[in-house]
Amino acid sequence: MTAASSATATVHDPADLLAVARQQVLADGVGLSEQQLVDVLRLPDERVPELLELAHQVRMTWCGPEIEVEGIVSLKTGGCPEDCHFCSQSGQFESPVRAVWLNIPELVEAAKQTAATGATEFCIVAAVRGPDDRLMGQVRDGVAAIREAVDINIACSLGMLTQPQVDELAAMGVHRYNHNLEAARSYFPQVVTTHSWEERVDTCRMVRDAGMELCCGGLVGMGESVEQRAELAAQLAELEPDEVPLNFLNPRPGTPFGELPLMDGTDALRTIAAFRLAMPRTILRYAGGREITLGDLGTRDGLTGGINAVIVGNYLTTLGREPADDLALLSDLRMPVKELGKTL
Ligand code: SF4
């Protein structure tokens, strides 16, 4: 149970707020409510180190010291018919990403390289509204070929699904499915107009009900209010996802959000801690935008402020840090990489 209970308290004094969070989240394992999260996101800068320390203790207590490492590969890049305003893979904007398909041997090679970094998760991603028969066929062949060649958990992110597609992916042995809420329900219409927030939630619920692990996160720094950031965290908590990838907007040229400023680094750290305090037990993953938003020092602060999973290598349309750099940082922080077969 990660959602806040009705027994939660609301206080506006920063010291009291952190004391309440210490008891409620750290001791009792009950996530903060939406209003409490607004208060956390408004904590003054000088309280942020204390907030991060608490979020780190929560993560260590409820998840343990291990870090889950994942690699992602794009099976189909660009040319998506949807209009998510942050995304350079939309075919509706003048962004420089063209439609490209990967073949099965390339997919297997990417899975091998990911496994060689020590990662336990390999996520196959496609820029589509939802999979058609061609894509489902590619995924079926790809998953079978990877399972034959590499010992790694396979996740997929293929957009919105129908029930038969959910069932088919579960039968293939896909153990986790990613589908993000992207934004709070109240802000979603400012971010996407070609599908609804409710359609996203439907896919998430079907995935969970089919027994696959649910990976569901979002983006912050898209012009949303502090209240909407808290709303997103609370709505995610309600879905009880196994994993929450947290992205910071990396404004891509040619997209409607291409001119937005980068999120302030301290706000990004506040958000990481708030998400952890909303969801004490989830795998909270650094996803896109962390390098440009937080830099090396901030990346370290996030890892000791509630994050317990990373993506190694490149993202779908932007470059990440070298896997060796991330692995060295984890070793420096004495954070063991989760091994295959163990659950957090
Ligand atoms: S976020 Fe996904 S659905 Fe939206 S435009 Fe990009 S690839 Fe398409």
Side-chain angles (χ1 to χ4, degrees), residues 3-33:
S5 75
S6 56
T8 58
T10 298
V11 283
H12 295 280
D13 177 88
D16 290 353
L17 172 63
L18 291 177
V20 167
R22 195 169 290 280
Q23 178 62 45
Q24 180 181 321
V25 191
L26 182 59
D28 301 340
V30 176
L32 294 187
S33 69

Side-chain angles (χ1 to χ4, degrees), residues 80 82-84 86-87 89-90 126-129 182 195 200:
C80 178
E82 302 305 291
D83 76 342
C84 309
F86 54 84
C87 182
Q89 302 207 60
S90 168
V128 290
R129 175 184 169 87
E182 308 298 17
H195 59 266
R200 285 189 170 260

Side-chain angles (χ1 to χ4, degrees), residues 92-315:
Q92 302 209 17
F93 315 135
E94 303 255 322
S95 27
V97 177
R98 286 185 308 115
V100 179
W101 283 80
L102 220 60
N103 60 36
I104 303 296
E106 288 170 325
L107 201 61
V108 172
E109 186 50 37
K112 281 185 180 164
Q113 284 179 14
T114 298
T117 68
T120 51
E121 296 288 318
F122 180 67
C123 186
I124 302 168
V125 184
V128 290
R129 175 184 169 87
D132 57 12
D133 289 348
R134 176 188 176 195
L135 179 56
M136 284 300 283
Q138 285 269 58
V139 170
R140 196 180 310 116
D141 295 347
V143 168
I146 293 167
R147 285 170 69 113
E148 184 92 345
V150 194
D151 201 12
I152 196 161
N153 287 327
I154 303 172
C156 286
S157 180
L158 313 170
M160 289 177 281
L161 300 175
T162 62
Q163 187 64 57
Q165 289 171 335
V166 169
D167 296 341
E168 196 181 342
L169 290 169
M172 282 178 210
V174 171
H175 92 120
R176 190 179 292 171
Y177 191 82
N178 163 260
H179 197 53
N180 292 339
L181 292 187
E182 308 298 17
R185 185 179 198 161
S186 69
Y187 195 59
F188 194 84
Q190 264 72 59
V191 181
V192 185
T193 68
T194 46
H195 59 266
S196 69
W197 187 88
E198 287 75 10
E199 285 177 277
R200 285 189 170 260
V201 169
D202 287 347
T203 291
C204 292
R205 293 216 169 101
M206 281 192 283
V207 163
R208 223 187 39 196
D209 293 349
M212 279 186 281
E213 289 189 4
L214 174 63
C215 168
C216 180
L219 270 109
V220 289
M222 298 192 291
E224 73 281 352
S225 66
V226 164
E227 286 77 8
Q228 285 164 327
R229 222 167 267 166
E231 183 192 337
L232 171 61
Q235 287 164 344
L236 287 169
E238 211 179 311
L239 279 172
E240 297 189 37
D242 297 279
E243 174 189 337
V244 173
L246 182 55
N247 295 272
F248 305 100
L249 180 73
N250 181 352
R252 304 315 299 152
T255 63
F257 288 169
E259 302 295 319
L260 283 179
L262 279 179
M263 190 172 181
D264 171 74
T266 308
D267 276 344
L269 292 172
R270 262 190 208 91
T271 306
I272 290 169
F275 273 52
R276 170 55 68 203
L277 296 181
M279 293 168 278
R281 294 171 184 79
T282 200
I283 300 166
L284 184 58
R285 190 180 303 277
Y286 258 147
R290 65 151 155 138
E291 293 85 356
I292 191 169
T293 305
L294 288 165
D296 284 354
L297 270 183
T299 292
R300 191 178 269 264
D301 289 342
L303 283 164
T304 54
I307 292 284
N308 67 334
V310 295
I311 292 174
V312 287
N314 296 334
Y315 304 114

Side-chain angles (χ1 to χ4, degrees), residues 32-42 230 233-234 274-275 277-278:
L32 294 187
S33 69
E34 189 173 329
Q35 182 53 52
Q36 288 175 316
L37 292 169
V38 172
D39 294 339
V40 163
L41 291 168
R42 291 224 168 96
F275 273 52
L277 296 181

